[in-house]
Amino acid sequence: MPQFIAMAQTRSTSPQTGVEPKGWQGQRVGITGANGELGRALTAELRERGAWVVGISHRARVETPSPLQAAQDWVCWCSGEEEALDPILRDLDVLVLNHGVNPGGDQAPEALTKAMEINALSHWRLIQRFEQICVEAPLRPRELWVNTSEAEIQPALSPGYELSKRLIGQLVSLRWSVPERHRAGLPRLRKLVLGPFRSSLNPIGVMSADFVAKQVLVQANLGLPLIVVTPNPLTFLLMPLTELGRWIYNRSFRLNRPDP
């Protein structure tokens, strides 16, 4: 059975299952893109459940209406300097990769490079660093969440955004296809496939960030590795089928050796 389906059926607290449902009290959660609408909404929901949130952003902290909606810790970083985050990553129970840019219709090489770097390559480097940290210090169950967007499989009226999201989505799918016998110490991997919600990247989104954040945590508490929140019913059908096809393809052509 594919990794992303099998993981949904596991409810224990082994290193491969991560945070128990409703077990957020005292958990340290790092959120990249913490200044964005979804980052702030996730922060508020997690803090309400007792988590300690570390905001990770390219920008200084934006003031929130209530101190209870703000991350307890704040870290500024720059894409390309992921190694500087290692001391922060070592202390996290959950890392949520949520940062991104949307170039819209801008297809200039500079805009495409920026979208690829921030939406995909910086995510990939952080995935590798967090996985390595977890393998080197397998002291407790940990989780890694990656926000890829439903632009991974559907148009988003932004070719550069779609391209970058498809790349990071494919990379997450590749990591899901790692055989169970080679996953010792790796964090539990979840993919967030989110439809259009109102934010600075998409001011005409049909969902609120607060609604999306609540639904993400509900599905995470159910143990789902593939978390889909969207008003588009086709995504609920197409995304699992896409992942199944990728899993079969990736496993079929995978060399039978562990990660270096």
Side-chain angles (χ1 to χ4, degrees):
M1 182 179 291
Q3 178 81 11
F4 71 95
I5 296 177
M7 289 171 64
Q9 298 175 338
T10 307
R11 303 300 292 272
S12 68
T13 55
S14 71
Q16 296 306 316
T17 60
V19 178
E20 273 287 301
K22 301 182 181 179
W24 293 105
Q25 190 68 39
Q27 296 288 317
R28 291 183 63 86
V29 183
I31 303 176
T32 67
N35 262 333
E37 292 295 328
L38 182 60
R40 293 199 297 270
L42 282 171
T43 295
E45 291 296 325
L46 287 165
R47 286 202 58 176
E48 185 177 330
R49 290 161 172 76
W52 184 277
V53 179
V54 181
I56 305 172
S57 176
H58 287 71
R59 297 178 287 133
R61 187 197 304 260
V62 172
E63 293 298 323
T64 58
S66 167
L68 295 178
Q69 297 177 336
Q72 291 99 325
D73 288 335
W74 196 265
V75 179
C76 287
W77 73 292
C78 293
S79 180
E81 300 178 1
E82 287 75 19
E83 290 185 14
L85 292 176
D86 282 2
I88 305 300
L89 302 183
R90 289 191 183 96
D91 290 335
L92 297 180
D93 297 290
V94 181
L95 173 62
V96 183
L97 299 182
N98 172 62
H99 60 286
V101 296
N102 187 348
D106 191 346
Q107 298 177 35
E110 296 80 4
L112 296 177
T113 298
K114 181 178 180 180
M116 294 291 289
E117 169 63 27
I118 295 178
N119 293 348
L121 299 181
S122 67
H123 283 67
W124 176 235
R125 290 192 293 268
L126 284 170
I127 288 171
Q128 294 179 85
R129 300 208 68 79
F130 193 61
E131 285 186 342
Q132 186 62 37
I133 286 170
C134 293
V135 169
E136 292 174 351
L139 303 178
R140 61 189 185 278
R142 303 204 221 191
E143 295 195 5
L144 175 59
W145 301 8
V146 185
N147 179 4
T148 70
S149 163
E150 73 178 353
E152 183 183 342
I153 59 169
Q154 297 190 35
L157 307 181
S158 176
Y161 184 75
E162 295 164 16
L163 178 65
S164 59
K165 287 298 186 178
R166 287 169 189 160
L167 175 56
I168 188 57
Q170 289 270 20
L171 288 170
V172 172
S173 298
L174 279 168
R175 296 309 294 157
W176 261 341
S177 69
V178 174
E180 189 66 29
R181 64 185 180 276
H182 295 157
R183 293 194 59 82
L186 292 177
R188 182 176 188 183
L189 184 59
R190 300 187 197 264
K191 179 185 285 190
L192 313 184
V193 179
L194 310 180
F197 60 89
R198 290 184 296 279
S199 68
S200 58
L201 297 185
N202 184 13
I204 59 173
V206 298
M207 301 182 292
S208 71
D210 291 338
F211 171 80
V212 172
K214 286 183 172 65
Q215 292 301 310
V216 165
L217 294 183
V218 165
Q219 294 186 42
N221 285 341
L222 290 174
L224 302 179
L226 180 61
I227 295 175
V228 181
V229 184
T230 177
N232 187 346
L234 283 177
T235 304
F236 291 95
L237 173 65
L238 295 177
M239 199 66 230
L241 291 176
T242 298
E243 292 296 349
L244 178 59
R246 289 175 181 172
W247 183 88
I248 294 172
Y249 180 81
N250 294 338
R251 279 294 185 92
S252 297
F253 293 96
R254 180 181 176 83
L255 293 176
N256 187 26
R257 61 182 177 84
D259 293 340

